[in-house]
């Protein structure tokens, strides 16, 4: 049995690959070739790495190394061109990864011809965002989120986080940096409860896959010590904080994690976060009808954010089975936005992507548990 267990090459850093190359008695430059084939070439098997000599490829296989690219089990395409992927890892565990094309025709919405003009490369979009998962399930238990109902099964490794992105890029036949791809670590799981693997994945994505850190955003439910850790990283995504409530009582009810790190601690970490030139923090706020969407709530949000270089993304609740909240009416959402804007807080209403295929925020997991 143990012989068949393979060690994934995906997820290894250049340094780690260098050790592996040395052990095989190969010259050090082979590590760079391996690194490029894995992350930039996104090969599916070591056999495909034609820059490496046959005997080294054989040696890797004999020592039980395999690329370790996850497989795409299922693929759902929305009328708005969003694609939700069910991605499976070696142990059979799955997560969901979402592909969201934007721009020319990427958001035709009604599936009609409108705006579906193809660009020079024959594509109906000019940039795309991949929503990435960091854990199988989630431990945080936010009351409005479907993924929370799963509980957490396990962390993803750095290789699985990167692999999920490579699998989607391969399927879409897209290659950064030539093709403009943004990443949001906003899929299943709480990235800051899997910090080491998450940040290692970020480095591999920047150095290997070629996605600039400025095109990445990580979202946290508010794991305060890790906000400080992220601020100290030399290479890091932008930071988004899932606020979702305007006072402690409400936030504790909606997000029990608030008992551990309350708004005072969370906002202190936000204030201490070292922003780069022109960088802003993002606060996400899921609007729940008659729960957190009043004018009073909006004014409290303004007070919390006062003095911060930040923007707010409002997300109307995406409903789901077992979720005991309602989506506010459009006017209510606009009223909330207006109060924030009037106080100088840039506030955007996030349009749900792929709601028809359960790909929108807070909906990831349905396939795994309920079926398509
Ligand atoms: N665990 C991290 C990463 C997930 S991001 C975090 O909480 O930030 C997912 C985003 O979707 C969060 O901002 C969350 O508040 C939001 N969300 C969760 N459930 C939702 C739902 N049912 N409708 C709309 N947004 C939801």
């Amino acid at each position: 049995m143990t012989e068949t267990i393979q060690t994934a090459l995906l997820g290894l850093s250049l340094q780690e690959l260098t050790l592996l190359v040395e052990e095989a008695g190969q010259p050090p430059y082979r590590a760079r070739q391996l690194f490029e084939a894995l992350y930039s070439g996104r090969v599916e098997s070591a056999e495909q790495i034609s820059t490496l000599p046959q005997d080294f490829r054989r040696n890797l296989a004999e020592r039980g190394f395999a690329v370790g690219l996850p497989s795409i089990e299922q693929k759902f395409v929305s009328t708005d061109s969003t694609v939700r992927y069910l991605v499976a890892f070696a142990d059979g565990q799955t997560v969901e990864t979402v592909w969201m094309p934007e721009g020319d025709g990427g958001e035709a919405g009604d599936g009609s011809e409108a705006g579906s003009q193809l660009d020079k490369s024959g594509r109906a979009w000019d940039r795309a965002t991949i929503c990435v998962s960091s854990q199988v399930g989630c431990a945080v238990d936010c009351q409005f989120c479907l993924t929370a109902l799963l509980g957490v099964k396990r962390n993803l490794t750095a290789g699985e986080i990167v692999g999920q992105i490579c699998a989607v890029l391969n399927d879409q036949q897209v290659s950064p940096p030539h093709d403009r791809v943004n990443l949001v670590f906003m899929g299943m799981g709480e990235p800051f409860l899997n910090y080491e693997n998450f940040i290692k994945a970020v480095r591999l994505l920047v150095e290997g896959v070629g996605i600039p850190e400025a095109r990445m955003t990580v979202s946290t439910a508010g794991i305060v010590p890790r906000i400080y850790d992220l601020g100290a990283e030399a290479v890091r995504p932008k930071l988004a904080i899932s606020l979702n409530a305007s006072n402690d009582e409400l936030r504790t009810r909606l997000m029990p994690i608030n008992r551990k790190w309350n708004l005072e601690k969370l906002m202190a970490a936000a204030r201490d976060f070292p922003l780069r030139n022109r960088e802003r923090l993002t606060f996400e706020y899921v609007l729940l009808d008659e729960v957190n969407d009043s004018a009073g709530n909006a004014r409290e949000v303004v007070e919390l954010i006062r003095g911060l270089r930040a923007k707010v993304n409002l997300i109307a609740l995406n409903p789901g089975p077992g979720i005991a909240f309602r989506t506010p009416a459009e006017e209510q959402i606009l009223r909330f936005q207006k109060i924030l804007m009037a106080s100088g807080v840039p506030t955007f209403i996030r349009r749900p992507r792929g709601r028809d295929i359960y790909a929108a925020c807070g909906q990831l997991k349905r396939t795994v548990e309920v079926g398509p």
Side-chain angles (χ1 to χ4, degrees):
M1 211 27 218
T2 45
E3 267 109 47
T4 63
I5 293 179
Q6 294 189 308
T7 309
L9 291 167
L10 259 184
L12 298 182
S13 64
L14 182 58
Q15 244 179 345
E16 289 164 330
L17 291 172
T18 305
L19 285 178
L20 203 147
V21 159
E22 275 170 13
E23 281 161 14
Q26 291 285 330
Y29 69 84
R30 296 280 180 220
R32 171 57 70 179
Q33 290 177 319
L34 198 46
F35 186 83
E36 280 178 1
L38 287 171
Y39 299 107
S40 175
R42 304 191 314 257
V43 291
E44 289 176 358
S45 77
E47 268 309 298
Q48 289 174 359
I49 312 177
S50 52
T51 47
L52 300 180
Q54 269 298 344
D55 59 333
F56 181 38
R57 283 184 254 175
R58 205 172 312 119
N59 169 284
L60 286 173
E62 281 163 10
R63 290 159 72 199
F65 287 103
V67 170
L69 203 64
S71 63
I72 293 173
E73 294 269 283
Q74 290 186 63
K75 191 174 160 182
F76 306 87
V77 183
S78 164
T79 53
D80 71 8
S81 316
T82 297
V83 183
R84 176 165 61 97
Y85 290 94
L86 181 67
V87 175
F89 302 108
D91 67 350
Q93 293 285 0
T94 55
V95 294
E96 298 189 318
T97 311
V98 183
W99 167 262
M100 295 173 282
E102 290 161 76
D104 285 335
E107 286 172 320
D110 57 1
S112 72
E113 292 297 301
S116 62
Q117 223 163 351
L118 302 183
D119 71 5
K120 276 193 278 285
S121 56
R123 290 203 179 94
W125 52 275
D126 50 32
R127 63 190 188 284
T129 300
I130 301 177
C131 182
V132 182
S133 292
S134 55
Q135 299 181 303
V136 181
C138 188
V140 179
D141 204 27
C142 301
Q143 298 297 298
F144 41 81
C145 180
L146 270 181
T147 305
L149 300 178
L150 272 178
V152 69
K153 299 252 164 70
R154 67 170 176 84
N155 284 334
L156 296 190
T157 64
E160 288 171 332
I161 296 173
V162 175
Q164 146 196 192
I165 294 152
C166 290
V168 169
L169 292 173
N170 283 351
D171 187 65
Q172 294 287 340
Q173 300 187 317
V174 162
S175 280
H178 172 259
D179 296 308
R180 188 170 155 183
V181 174
N182 302 309
L183 295 183
V184 293
F185 293 88
M186 300 186 183
M188 296 169 70
E190 167 51 51
F192 284 5
L193 291 180
N194 184 18
Y195 187 84
E196 288 309 321
N197 292 332
F198 146 75
I199 202 72
K200 185 180 187 190
V202 166
R203 293 185 197 120
L204 296 172
L205 288 160
V206 171
E207 289 161 28
V209 181
I211 303 175
E213 58 184 318
R215 296 218 177 121
M216 300 181 188
T217 304
V218 63
S219 179
T220 181
I223 313 299
V224 166
R226 298 293 87 75
I227 294 179
Y228 288 97
D229 289 346
L230 187 76
E233 297 289 348
V235 175
R236 62 157 177 86
K238 294 181 283 186
L239 176 65
I241 295 174
S242 295
L243 188 60
N244 297 335
S246 59
N247 60 60
D248 274 317
E249 193 196 334
L250 187 56
R251 194 163 192 272
T252 299
R253 204 174 110 209
L254 299 175
M255 302 176 71
I257 191 91
N258 195 64
R259 264 189 217 111
K260 190 148 187 188
W261 294 289
N262 64 15
L263 281 171
E264 191 188 330
K265 291 178 184 152
L266 182 61
M267 297 314 292
R271 276 170 217 290
D272 288 345
F273 193 76
L275 292 170
R276 303 181 185 119
N277 255 346
R278 303 178 57 190
E279 186 182 355
R280 282 189 298 191
L281 286 174
T282 300
F283 289 93
E284 295 139 294
Y285 196 97
V286 182
L287 287 164
L288 312 170
D289 188 36
E290 287 178 15
V291 173
N292 66 355
D293 65 341
S294 72
N297 294 132
R299 285 192 291 268
E300 284 180 334
V301 169
V302 169
E303 287 314 312
L304 284 173
I305 290 180
R306 192 174 293 287
L308 276 170
R309 216 197 305 156
K311 65 167 174 166
V312 170
N313 282 341
L314 298 176
I315 317 167
L317 175 77
N318 293 308
I323 299 301
F325 299 100
R326 291 181 314 269
T327 309
E330 185 71 17
E331 311 88 76
Q332 193 59 22
I333 299 168
L334 291 171
R335 207 170 304 144
F336 200 95
Q337 179 189 34
K338 218 166 162 186
I339 296 170
L340 267 63
M341 297 284 272
S343 305
V345 180
T347 307
F348 303 88
I349 299 172
R350 297 302 298 264
R351 296 288 151 204
R353 298 291 309 264
R355 231 195 221 176
D356 57 335
I357 54 161
Y358 275 88
C361 298
Q363 297 192 310
L364 298 183
K365 86 123 216 184
R366 188 179 183 268
T367 312
V368 183
E369 295 297 288
V370 188

